Amino acid sequence: MLSLRSICLLKVSSLKLSFKEDEVPYTLVTELKQMLLFNGNFFGQEEYFYWFKAIKEHVLTIQYQGDGTWAFGICHVCDHCSCLTCDGNKHCGKRPERLQFV
């Protein structure tokens, strides 16, 4: 669970408010700068051949939450299923797979 301080820092960071460094405590300035530097979504694509040409997409989400706490999320999805007899089960390659780490 996030602290009230972390929630406030994330909100200020997401609004991208400007502030003067001499008007805000140094520890808050440091945390806000880290959030602005690291927080975001990073996207990549790769092509592979599995009886046919397919594309696999990946998204990495990084969120510095303040107080030394980080959250990482990974999601990947394929445009074709690699199952020979796809029934849409949980192992289907077209179904997005999401992993979350804190």
Side-chain angles (χ1 to χ4, degrees):
M1 180 174 228
L2 293 174
S3 67
L4 180 59
R5 180 177 187 270
S6 292
I7 293 170
C8 291
L9 284 169
L10 287 168
K11 182 64 175 179
V12 170
S13 172
S14 71
L15 294 174
K16 297 185 180 6
L17 299 175
S18 61
F19 56 88
K20 294 182 181 176
E21 291 186 20
D22 58 344
E23 295 177 355
V24 179
Y26 176 75
T27 55
L28 296 179
V29 171
T30 304
E31 301 244 4
L32 287 169
K33 283 184 176 181
Q34 285 181 327
M35 288 178 171
L36 292 172
L37 180 64
F38 294 111
N39 291 6
N41 297 311
F42 305 91
F43 174 80
Q45 257 186 357
E46 68 177 301
E47 290 184 5
Y48 67 96
F49 295 91
Y50 191 76
W51 292 318
F52 49 82
K53 181 179 172 183
I55 297 174
K56 191 173 193 177
E57 298 175 337
H58 311 274
V59 176
L60 170 66
T61 302
I62 299 175
Q63 185 182 55
Y64 177 64
Q65 300 175 334
D67 296 326
T69 305
W70 294 82
F72 299 93
I74 301 169
C75 181
H76 59 87
V77 64
C78 301
D79 65 343
H80 287 87
C81 184
S82 58
C83 306
L84 291 175
T85 56
C86 182
D87 59 0
N89 64 15
K90 67 179 183 176
H91 300 292
C92 178
K94 290 176 68 173
R95 192 174 181 158
E97 183 178 346
R98 293 179 179 88
L99 305 170
Q100 186 76 25
F101 308 98
V102 177

